[in-house]
């Protein structure tokens, strides 16, 4: 399987792009980064504390749940919860950018935030948790 920036969330992985030439991978990284930055600018979406682009996905690492909530409200998607121990969880929204032009196909976006086990979570986010 060859990963393309047009693949929908959950349909590709970085390992599927390893066979591509380095220059192609870097073009995919840059295209994905630009697509997500454009989405942030057009829709007022927060870019989080850190944004990391890869050939198949852009990861947004947030410092507060509001970032995840804003992306969920605008783009939808599903949320997974991973218990990492010591009273900490990682909540990750899997969504995608809007496909407006063939030059800018949808990009998988993963928005993650660390929370404590006892943190109160918005009902909208809890409803998006993948079963």
């Amino acid at each position: 399987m060859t990963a393309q920036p047009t693949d929908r969330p959950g349909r590709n992985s970085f390992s599927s792009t390893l066979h591509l030439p380095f220059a192609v991978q870097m073009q995919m990284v840059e295209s994905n980064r630009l697509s997500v930055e454009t989405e942030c600018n057009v829709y007022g979406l927060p870019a989080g504390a850190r944004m990391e682009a890869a050939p198949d996905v852009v990861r947004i690492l947030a410092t507060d749940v509001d970032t995840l909530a804003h992306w969920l409200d605008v783009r939808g998607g599903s949320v997974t919860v991973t218990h990492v121990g010591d009273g900490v969880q990682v909540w990750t929204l899997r969504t995608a950018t809007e496909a407006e032009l063939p030059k800018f196909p949808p990009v998988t976006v993963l928005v993650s935030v660390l929370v404590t086990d006892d943190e109160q979570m918005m009902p909208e986010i809890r409803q998006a948790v993948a079963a």
Side-chain angles (χ1 to χ4, degrees), residues 46-104:
R50 182 173 173 183
M51 184 187 319
E52 292 289 329
D56 62 338
V57 68
V58 173
R59 291 174 184 86
I60 295 177
L61 305 176
T63 57
D64 61 69
V65 175
D66 292 338
T67 299
L68 188 146
H70 197 106
W71 273 89
L72 179 62
D73 183 50
V74 173
R75 283 285 148 245
S78 62
V79 175
T80 57
V81 180
T82 304
H83 299 273
V84 293
D86 294 329
V88 176
Q89 303 172 354
V90 178
W91 288 60
T92 301
L93 170 66
R94 177 177 289 272
T95 190
T97 61
E98 192 170 78
E100 294 185 19
L101 304 169
K103 184 177 178 181
F104 296 103

Side-chain angles (χ1 to χ4, degrees), residues 32-45:
N32 289 348
R33 185 187 63 75
L34 286 173
S35 290
V36 173
E37 284 180 353
T38 300
E39 193 95 349
C40 288
N41 291 333
V42 169
Y43 295 100
L45 292 166

Side-chain angles (χ1 to χ4, degrees), residues 109-130:
V109 180
L110 302 174
V111 182
S112 297
V113 62
L114 288 174
V115 299
T116 59
D117 285 343
D118 59 353
E119 184 165 340
Q120 296 296 316
M121 193 59 63
M122 297 174 212
E124 297 84 357
I125 295 175
R126 287 202 180 278
Q127 291 171 355
V129 172

Side-chain angles (χ1 to χ4, degrees), residues 12-23:
N12 53 35
S13 67
F14 180 70
S15 62
S16 64
T17 63
L18 292 178
H19 70 281
L20 296 174
F22 182 75

